[in-house]
Amino acid sequence: MKKGKVYLVGAGPGDETLITLRAIQVLGLADCVIYDGLANESLLRYAPIEAEKVGVRKRTGPRPWTQSEIDALLLDKAKEGKIVVRLKGGDPGLFGRAPEEAALCAQEEIPFEIVPGITAGLAAAAYAGIFLTDRDHASQVVFVTGREAATKTEATLDYRFLSGFDGTIVLYMAMGNLDQITSHLIDGGKNPATPVAVIQNATTPRQRLLKSQLDLVAMECREKDFGAPSIVIIGPTAVGNDPFNWFMNRALFGKHIVIARDPAGNDVLAEKLAAAGAIPIRFNAVRIIDQSDSPPTQEAISRLSEYDWIMFTSANGVRHAFKALYSAGRDARAFGKAKVACIGKQTADILESFGIRADFVPAKYTSEIMAKELCSLESLKGKRIVLLRSGIAPKDLVETFTAVGAQVDDVAVYTVEPNRENIEEIREQIQARGIDWLTFTSSSTVRSFLDQIPVSLVREAGLKIGSIGPVATKQLKALGLEPTLEADVHTIDGLLAAIEQYEENHRDSQVSKKR
Ligand code: SAH
């Protein structure tokens, strides 16, 4: 029987870009991914779509997993001949159960590999501007687990050693026992004024940092509600240096920003915002409903080569048409001799990625121009045309082509519906003053947002409003809202830059007020 293989893989500390290239490679090979609660779930997208993905949170989630259940799952899958990626937070070798999992593999003669990861202790320090060693203050570092303190006798943690240790102590899993740990260290002779830094949710937009000292830190953590997952750094280097705290000093760090675009556009903007440190909140004004398996779509797809012209008016149309084609077990050859027209370069580019080059892309990107140009290019009298597009597209194309004698099939391969999915959540967050900015990239999203969220609420909450350009601004004003800023350059990047600049200026004035 074919034997599988197990990869024990470090996912890094939280920020998904802190994973290794090797980890991404092995994720791409996986038949099954077994992932921990601390591993960033968005990393699962590097595994094949068809790979099985099993979350094995130990303490949270709908059902807590025990280590023996995880072991059994790992073995079962590997024995089925599968490539199993065991994805763990940070580094698999530090304070996890990788040693047991490796021992099991060895015992069952299942080949395995270990892919190291960036451990939370190193990442938390780097993302809080703390250098764990420095020539003047610390030339040694220890990694220590604080969990032991609760479950085992004091002797497990060598407090005598740690109290006398003059380097940097990096504590994992310490939040439950911080009182005992710090008291033991002080009792052992460590200076109560030793600097301590606590970093919660390190490397994520929700990162928090507390700077304190050994005798006060446990109390301050309680007061300020610092909990797991946190790294506690003890020693002279924990003082850090505020200007070194590059991650949290970024202008957009931790800002909650509502983005209101179509879902694909939201993904692009969300990624850019997250990279700048903000917390994007998606308002998906519309939802795309797949119609690729509807009878009219399937019918049109089965007769594609009988048409003279196949027309696409959006990237979504292309994607859904190909979805229908593939699910019917066919491919681009189904187009046969039919010619293909696309509105817009983006639509044509997507089409090309599926192996079809458009015969006709109008110079200007509207349906009306497409119709006019095509009619002047060749006679459409008696020609058979199929439009593969959205169910709510205007009918003018159909009318124009029918008027010149063509026979037109207008096929909805997808449709678009207003989406109210998360509007309640956003409303509550605004009421709770948990939102900093609203951003608008078109007048239609201004309308759909303010259709559902009253202007008065936006005003009361004092939300800042970023507009991409004059058209969105005009719509905002028409509905009674004055944008806080309008981007000079009317692109997503222009809008992002304007908001960053605003926050930067604003911070300067706050700092000078304090002085
Ligand atoms: N193997 C992991 C550690 C697992 S133990 C690693 O190498 O990072 C779990 C502990 O790791 C948590 O209790 C916390 O102390 C720490 N931790 C993990 N992710 C963290 C994060 N994003 N921020 C702060 N601490 C984190």
Side-chain angles (χ1 to χ4, degrees):
M1 196 179 67
K2 184 182 159 224
K3 258 209 181 130
K5 180 159 185 174
V6 171
Y7 290 90
L8 301 171
V9 178
D15 178 327
E16 60 163 332
T17 63
L18 292 175
I19 192 170
T20 63
L21 213 45
R22 179 68 182 144
I24 291 177
Q25 278 175 350
V26 303
L27 274 169
L29 304 174
D31 297 309
C32 176
V33 184
I34 304 176
Y35 62 98
D36 277 352
L38 280 174
N40 187 333
E41 277 187 33
S42 62
L43 292 170
L44 296 176
R45 71 171 194 277
Y46 292 112
I49 292 181
E50 63 278 9
E52 192 183 350
K53 288 135 194 152
V54 190
V56 292
R57 285 179 184 75
K58 290 227 185 81
R59 277 176 298 276
T60 54
R63 108 171 180 66
W65 285 69
T66 64
Q67 186 58 38
S68 53
E69 284 174 320
I70 298 174
D71 291 347
L73 179 71
L74 193 74
L75 284 187
D76 282 355
K77 295 294 171 189
K79 283 183 178 166
E80 284 169 22
K82 294 197 165 140
I83 296 189
V84 183
V85 168
R86 178 75 181 92
L87 192 63
K88 293 162 165 288
D91 177 77
L94 267 180
F95 308 131
R97 304 295 283 265
E100 286 100 309
E101 291 168 6
L104 267 180
C105 292
Q107 188 189 321
E108 302 283 330
E109 295 183 351
I110 295 163
F112 69 91
E113 280 184 27
I114 302 171
V115 182
I118 296 182
T119 186
L122 296 183
Y127 276 54
I130 291 171
F131 296 100
L132 294 177
T133 64
D134 94 33
R135 279 203 294 195
D136 297 327
H137 302 107
S139 48
Q140 30 186 358
V141 183
V142 285
F143 292 115
V144 177
T145 167
R147 169 85 57 79
E148 310 281 311
T151 52
K152 299 189 186 150
T153 56
E154 269 172 48
T156 335
L157 273 193
D158 186 347
Y159 284 108
R160 216 154 64 121
F161 163 75
L162 290 174
S163 301
F165 184 70
D166 70 350
T168 308
I169 301 173
V170 181
L171 270 175
Y172 289 66
M173 295 182 277
M175 297 314 276
N177 305 315
L178 205 51
D179 271 313
Q180 293 98 303
I181 297 169
T182 48
S183 320
H184 282 313
L185 289 173
I186 293 168
D187 293 347
K190 206 163 194 57
N191 184 345
T194 306
V196 181
V198 182
I199 303 115
Q200 184 174 7
N201 295 324
T203 75
T204 76
R206 293 183 166 78
Q207 175 170 316
R208 298 171 73 206
L209 169 65
L210 176 86
K211 296 255 180 90
S212 181
Q213 59 180 48
L214 199 56
D215 55 350
L216 302 176
V217 66
M219 186 189 66
E220 286 185 23
C221 278
R222 251 194 318 277
E223 277 172 11
K224 299 198 170 129
D225 206 18
F226 270 67
S230 289
I231 288 290
V232 181
I233 300 176
I234 304 174
T237 61
V239 172
N241 184 338
D242 285 342
F244 288 176
N245 189 3
W246 64 274
F247 184 65
M248 296 172 77
N249 286 344
R250 291 174 305 165
L252 291 189
F253 177 78
K255 298 274 182 251
H256 291 73
I257 302 182
V258 173
I259 53 182
R261 306 185 71 201
D262 62 283
N266 270 350
D267 286 345
V268 175
L269 182 51
E271 203 166 294
K272 286 176 191 273
L273 283 172
I279 301 170
I281 296 156
R282 290 175 168 80
F283 166 70
N284 287 332
V286 294
R287 185 165 42 172
I288 306 287
I289 312 286
D290 185 0
Q291 302 274 340
S292 63
D293 56 0
S294 74
T297 303
Q298 291 293 330
E299 161 80 10
I301 288 294
S302 72
R303 299 190 291 114
L304 272 189
S305 63
E306 295 170 23
Y307 289 102
D308 297 295
W309 281 99
I310 299 169
M311 297 188 184
F312 295 104
T313 60
S314 68
N316 265 318
V318 175
R319 284 195 202 98
H320 286 86
F322 273 85
K323 189 169 175 207
L325 203 57
Y326 291 161
S327 69
R330 309 184 64 199
D331 62 23
R333 285 170 295 181
F335 281 59
K337 287 209 179 76
K339 285 193 270 186
V340 184
C342 277
I343 289 190
K345 184 167 180 312
Q346 201 204 350
T347 311
D349 285 349
I350 299 271
L351 185 65
E352 197 160 339
S353 73
F354 285 99
I356 300 275
R357 193 166 284 172
D359 298 283
F360 174 73
V361 183
K364 283 211 179 143
Y365 300 148
T366 68
S367 301
E368 193 190 346
I369 288 171
M370 165 141 123
K372 265 197 203 142
E373 281 193 15
L374 198 56
C375 291
S376 66
L377 198 72
E378 65 171 60
S379 165
L380 294 177
K381 194 166 168 37
K383 294 280 167 69
R384 301 203 53 194
I385 297 177
V386 64
L387 303 168
L388 299 173
R389 57 181 192 155
S390 151
I392 59 156
K395 296 289 169 205
D396 48 351
L397 264 186
V398 179
E399 284 157 17
T400 312
F401 290 138
T402 313
V404 295
Q407 196 186 325
V408 186
D409 291 336
D410 189 11
V411 178
V413 291
Y414 69 99
T415 188
V416 179
E417 279 186 356
N419 182 17
R420 287 162 203 273
E421 242 167 50
N422 61 346
I423 195 68
E424 270 319 307
E425 254 167 69
I426 294 179
R427 186 198 306 270
E428 281 165 21
Q429 237 174 315
I430 296 177
Q431 275 160 347
R433 303 291 186 267
I435 305 269
D436 300 285
W437 282 89
L438 300 178
T439 58
F440 293 106
T441 56
S442 69
S443 55
S444 66
T445 48
V446 171
R447 282 194 304 273
S448 52
F449 187 82
L450 293 174
D451 234 14
Q452 304 186 49
I453 298 284
V455 168
S456 56
L457 177 58
V458 174
R459 282 210 204 97
E460 275 161 33
L463 296 184
K464 288 171 273 189
I465 301 173
S467 158
I468 199 165
V471 182
T473 299
K474 193 169 158 204
Q475 182 71 70
L476 280 163
K477 287 186 174 164
L479 294 172
L481 283 176
E482 186 66 39
T484 314
L485 59 83
E486 179 184 292
D488 289 334
V489 182
H490 312 314
T491 61
I492 293 298
D493 288 330
L495 178 59
L496 196 65
I499 296 176
E500 271 181 323
Q501 191 59 55
Y502 179 95
E503 289 290 348
E504 197 71 59
N505 297 345
H506 197 67
R507 175 164 57 191
D508 288 348
S509 64
Q510 273 181 341
V511 172
S512 54
K513 257 186 240 156
K514 268 191 210 158
R515 277 191 192 128

